[in-house]
Amino acid sequence: MKPTRWSSCNLLQTGLDHRKLWHFSVGADSVSLQSESEHPAEGPLSGRSVRRSWRDLFQNRLNLAWLPPEKVYLRVAHLPQCAPSELPTMLELQIEKLSPLPVNQIVWSYEVIPGPADQPQTVVLLIAALSVVEQVLGQLETGGYVADRLDLPQLHWLAAQPTDADGTWLLLWRENGLLLCLVAWCYGGGLQDLTLLPLPDTPEAPPRLIDHLNRLSWAGEVEGWLTSEPAWHLISDPALAADWEPPLRQWAGPRLELHPAPTVRELATQSASRNARNATPANLVPSDFALRYRQQYVDRLWMQGLGVLATVYLLGVLAYFVTLRYSEYRLGAVKKEVTAWSIPYTNALSLKERLRVFQEQVGLKYAALDCWKTASELLPPEVELDTFNFQGGTKVFLAGSVSKEHEDKVTEFNAQLKKARLGDRPMFQEENAEPLQFDAQRGPAASASRWKFSLNLKADWLE
């Protein structure tokens, strides 16, 4: 499985009266502290850096928490060299023998301690009661903190120490109102034994620790890995060193050396660095809790997404109805305006139509006069015109009489009238006209003929 690449890391330490939260940024080669804050022991943690959101889909964030050290059992196991993927299986075969509690009531993990390649590899088992882990995770959930990993910071300090030099390391510190001592026995090129010992913060603590060290020394001699007088290394802060150095030096003599203890911030940085780089498999969060946290996170994202969609939909519906009401208001205003203008508009149309009729009548009047003028000018003296009708504004009907010997004058008059022009525009259509007709008269006027013909005005004449 490909290791997760983290972009940031939170680390939470719980105490009796407060909680301390560190926020780290994770780079390609380094982990740097960005902020450090203290919070009350009860109540939810504030800050967006703690709550998981959509951003965590693209920028993975690791949430770490420290278990109370006094609730963790440590055991050292020496196993044959093997691939890292085979270690959990090998440890499962020995966990029942190494665990102080029934296997079905514990949560366990492990940390590999570097050592010589030609010797069995050293593994430190972390064992905690399942009820304790569930209680710690429940408290973290109440505070709004979902932990991806639970571990012990002192193990990261131990993994960074050289184990090839023979000696006994006593890491002494106070935490949550308790006095704790991590005793690591390094002999024969590797870690042989590891004990996390809670001590009373009273004058009786040094004799109790010395008694424990004497018994472990005898056990080491019996098992064969303690073959020489041990060298003692006390790692603590100056205040504890001042109280513990006299009784320990009286017991150990010149073989006791003092070293400064790592600060809580240094332990936090070291723990965040190793976890963010996937350099440690130690994690006491049960797998079912991890699956539940993941499912809750996915479900919350779905619900948030559905909530956003529902909000957008409601806003869209609201905007639609607002737009609809506004459009109805505008439509009503337009209808009122149309109603107000309908009577003047109808009157204007009526006036326009009457004006058009008047203009047509005037046009027809002038067209009739033009036709009459043209006909009178072209009419030969031998021809009599007794009928002139201007029909429908498009047709001119002419009729009259002429002596039979001058009928050709009427024909000439008809031809000239068809070609008549007013200005540069022809007046009549030369085609589609009623042909010239002659009717012989009877009685005393038998020597004369009646004639008639009609002409069609050009379509554009009246324009």
Side-chain angles (χ1 to χ4, degrees):
M1 183 177 179
K2 186 178 180 181
T4 304
R5 184 174 180 178
W6 308 102
S7 60
S8 61
C9 175
N10 294 323
L11 195 152
L12 182 66
Q13 179 193 24
T14 59
L16 293 178
D17 56 351
H18 70 279
R19 291 171 293 179
K20 186 170 288 188
L21 178 67
W22 293 272
H23 179 67
F24 299 87
S25 64
V26 181
D29 301 318
S30 62
V31 174
S32 57
L33 179 64
Q34 298 297 311
S35 63
E36 179 180 348
S37 58
E38 287 190 2
H39 302 266
E42 302 293 337
L45 293 171
S46 60
R48 291 190 306 171
S49 61
V50 174
R51 307 284 181 179
R52 293 193 184 276
S53 62
W54 289 92
R55 175 183 289 184
D56 292 82
L57 292 175
F58 313 101
Q59 297 179 346
N60 292 318
R61 180 178 57 196
L62 177 63
N63 284 344
L64 297 176
W66 286 344
L67 271 176
E70 68 276 8
K71 304 295 184 180
V72 181
Y73 301 96
L74 300 178
R75 296 290 185 269
V76 176
H78 297 92
L79 303 175
Q81 294 288 343
C82 64
S85 59
E86 298 177 359
L87 266 179
T89 304
M90 297 179 67
L91 289 172
E92 284 181 0
L93 299 176
Q94 300 192 31
I95 190 67
E96 189 171 358
K97 180 179 66 175
L98 297 174
S99 174
L101 299 172
V103 177
N104 59 351
Q105 299 179 14
I106 65 169
V107 180
W108 65 274
S109 187
Y110 65 94
E111 176 71 48
V112 179
I113 304 300
D118 57 346
Q119 295 184 9
Q121 57 185 336
T122 303
V123 180
V124 176
L125 274 170
L126 291 82
I127 302 172
L130 178 60
S131 59
V132 171
V133 173
E134 290 177 346
Q135 180 183 3
V136 171
L137 291 176
Q139 293 173 352
L140 295 177
E141 291 178 28
T142 303
Y145 191 84
V146 177
D148 299 306
R149 287 173 174 264
L150 288 176
D151 67 355
L152 195 65
Q154 287 74 23
L155 273 186
H156 302 296
W157 170 84
L158 181 63
Q161 304 305 311
T163 58
D164 53 350
D166 292 349
T168 303
W169 300 82
L170 308 175
L171 178 60
L172 193 66
W173 77 99
R174 284 190 177 95
E175 184 174 344
N176 296 339
L178 299 175
L179 186 63
L180 300 167
C181 183
L182 181 68
V183 184
W185 300 76
C186 299
Y187 287 92
L191 180 65
Q192 300 297 331
D193 189 81
L194 184 65
T195 306
L196 183 56
L197 186 65
L199 299 170
D201 198 1
T202 62
E204 299 177 358
R208 180 175 295 187
L209 176 61
I210 291 172
D211 179 65
H212 175 77
L213 295 177
N214 285 329
R215 286 189 281 108
L216 283 179
S217 298
W218 298 331
E221 292 176 0
V222 172
E223 294 177 4
W225 51 263
L226 184 60
T227 57
S228 61
E229 192 71 25
W232 307 97
H233 303 272
L234 176 63
I235 303 99
S236 66
D237 58 67
L240 278 176
D243 295 335
W244 280 76
E245 181 182 6
L248 289 179
R249 190 168 294 280
Q250 182 180 0
W251 170 70
R255 297 188 307 275
L256 178 67
E257 297 182 10
L258 301 181
H259 305 276
T263 64
V264 178
R265 180 180 296 179
E266 291 173 345
L267 289 175
T269 303
Q270 195 171 39
S271 178
S273 178
R274 298 193 74 230
N275 280 279
R277 294 180 180 180
N278 301 293
T280 173
N283 182 16
L284 289 174
V285 175
S287 57
D288 55 337
F289 275 74
L291 291 175
R292 179 166 62 86
Y293 290 157
R294 179 64 182 177
Q295 188 61 45
Q296 288 176 347
Y297 170 62
V298 173
D299 292 344
R300 187 169 68 254
L301 291 186
W302 273 109
M303 295 305 297
Q304 291 177 354
L306 292 176
V308 171
L309 289 178
T311 303
V312 171
Y313 173 75
L314 292 177
L315 290 177
V317 171
L318 180 62
Y320 169 76
F321 281 109
V322 170
T323 305
L324 180 61
R325 295 298 299 173
Y326 179 72
S327 300
E328 290 177 350
Y329 167 76
R330 290 290 305 274
L331 180 61
V334 171
K335 285 182 177 180
K336 289 181 180 179
E337 188 175 356
V338 169
T339 303
W341 282 96
S342 60
I343 295 177
Y345 179 72
T346 303
N347 294 337
L349 290 180
S350 176
L351 291 174
K352 182 178 179 182
E353 186 64 23
R354 291 176 64 186
L355 177 61
R356 185 186 64 80
V357 172
F358 290 153
Q359 288 176 342
E360 286 184 357
Q361 289 178 351
V362 173
L364 290 175
K365 178 179 178 181
Y366 281 103
L369 291 176
D370 289 337
C371 293
W372 171 254
K373 180 178 178 293
T374 301
S376 62
E377 290 177 349
L378 296 177
L379 183 68
E382 296 84 2
V383 178
E384 292 183 5
L385 176 64
D386 54 22
T387 302
F388 180 89
N389 288 333
F390 193 74
Q391 302 174 351
T394 60
K395 188 175 182 180
V396 178
F397 177 78
L398 297 92
S401 61
V402 67
S403 59
K404 290 186 177 182
E405 63 271 16
H406 292 109
E407 287 182 354
D408 57 334
K409 296 293 184 178
V410 178
T411 303
E412 183 180 352
F413 171 64
N414 177 262
Q416 290 178 350
L417 199 58
K418 286 182 178 181
K419 297 179 180 180
R421 302 175 71 87
L422 186 64
D424 59 347
R425 297 171 61 190
M427 297 179 63
F428 303 103
Q429 301 178 14
E430 295 186 15
E431 63 279 355
N432 299 328
E434 184 177 343
L436 177 61
Q437 297 179 12
F438 290 96
D439 296 328
Q441 293 187 353
R442 297 178 182 180
S447 60
S449 297
R450 294 290 301 174
W451 60 268
K452 62 178 180 179
F453 66 86
S454 64
L455 297 174
N456 293 324
L457 285 173
K458 283 283 190 180
D460 59 347
W461 179 252
L462 296 177
E463 294 180 0

